[in-house]
Amino acid sequence: MPMAPNTSDNLPPTAAYFPTSPASPLHPPTALYNRLSSLPQSSLVKTLSLTIPPRSGRAFQVLAGSIFRLSTPDGPQVGDLNIWNAHDPRERFWAARTRQLQGSHVKEGDRLWSCLPFMRPLCGVIRDGCGLGEREEGRTERGGRSRWGGRVHDLLGTRCDPYVSHMLTSTSYDYHCHSNLVRAILPFALTEYDIHDVLNVFQVTGLDSEGRYFMEPSPATPDSFVDFFAEQDLLCALSTCPGGDLSAWGWHQAREAEMGVAREREGNGNGGGGMKSTCRGINVEVWEIEEGVREEVLRDWRRPERSGYMGNHGMTIPSGEA
């Protein structure tokens, strides 16, 4: 059967958000990010190092022009990341728009964009040290794909939370990612209402042939990491997901202790098995660029300005009764 000609009704649709000029902000700042990712360790001054324990959450601040790294030194573990402008938490990471502007999963060169009315990059991925490894069965310009079409660093889904968990199981569990993030930001005078959709780092996800969301086990290793460049002063919060590396994922966290005791009584393994045994910590490190090289490395970088749209939405404001 002859191939159909490349007529307008036989070509796949193009990406809806695509750079339309050489100056488009959708072009990654490749030269800058290459300089940043190539910096030797001697040019970086560590300002923070912490480990977020399994099934916990921590918040941390990053100054604009700094680099922060998330890593998995103990092995695979999924993390749920929230980001705010440190000076105005109304400006926060917008997962849906980032998904449209960049892709369903982030890769090197992608930037994480903030919500309206700010609409600007908060930070960008300058180095990704977590691939699919032997599970990679295909590669495009957006990175590797698994046998099922899964990719790493998910923007399709969101955090696990106790509300949907209770809806599905009629049980209460206090250490879902949503709850971990809530507790993490309390010292910064933020509340549950400030938690927003996340970037799921080290997480492999996709959509099946029916358009349904799926998750695969994390491919992270003790050498895996992701480096970000802060384009604003940031407040970040990260949860170490109670699903661990997702190899044993389920909605039974609240019943795990009871299940573990039952297994011990039956002589069927120990109480630490199952999903909880797949949970590990994630390391966070923050570096500032050494003063002597900072000016050269950041020579063409400026903090992104908020959107220039005035925000009147077609309305005029009356000056008074007259």
Side-chain angles (χ1 to χ4, degrees), residues 65 183 295 309:
R183 295 193 310 277
E295 184 175 349
Y309 178 65

Side-chain angles (χ1 to χ4, degrees), residues 131-149:
L132 287 167
E134 295 180 354
R135 287 158 52 189
E136 183 176 306
E137 292 200 8
R139 174 165 286 270
T140 69
E141 64 178 39
R142 293 292 307 169
R145 301 171 71 250
S146 74
R147 174 187 179 188
W148 309 110

Side-chain angles (χ1 to χ4, degrees), residues 251-270:
W251 287 104
H252 54 270
Q253 292 93 340
R255 297 192 177 104
E256 282 181 322
E258 178 183 338
M259 293 164 64
V261 170
R263 281 195 299 269
E264 285 183 341
R265 286 174 177 168
E266 295 168 3
N268 184 19
N270 57 54

Side-chain angles (χ1 to χ4, degrees), residues 150-272:
R151 298 177 184 269
V152 189
H153 308 312
D154 163 62
L155 283 174
L156 291 171
T158 188
R159 61 212 180 273
C160 57
D161 71 80
Y163 302 101
V164 71
S165 178
H166 192 277
M167 177 187 74
L168 295 173
T169 69
S170 299
T171 59
S172 294
Y173 178 72
D174 295 326
Y175 302 99
H176 283 295
C177 288
H178 180 84
S179 299
N180 294 343
L181 293 170
V182 169
R183 295 193 310 277
I185 61 173
L186 289 179
F188 295 88
L190 301 185
T191 73
E192 179 173 8
Y193 294 100
D194 294 296
I195 302 301
H196 49 280
D197 280 350
V198 300
L199 169 63
N200 290 304
V201 292
F202 309 119
Q203 182 169 332
V204 178
T205 66
L207 300 176
D208 68 13
S209 60
E210 300 296 330
R212 295 170 299 200
Y213 182 71
F214 68 80
M215 304 185 296
E216 299 183 53
S218 172
T221 71
D223 298 319
S224 295
F225 64 90
V226 187
D227 286 349
F228 300 86
F229 173 65
E231 303 220 34
Q232 310 285 340
D233 292 338
L234 304 178
L235 172 65
C236 304
L238 183 72
S239 167
T240 45
C241 183
D245 63 17
L246 301 185
S247 62
W249 167 255
W251 287 104
H252 54 270
Q253 292 93 340
R255 297 192 177 104
E256 282 181 322
E258 178 183 338
M259 293 164 64
V261 170
R263 281 195 299 269
E264 285 183 341
R265 286 174 177 168
E266 295 168 3
N268 184 19
N270 57 54

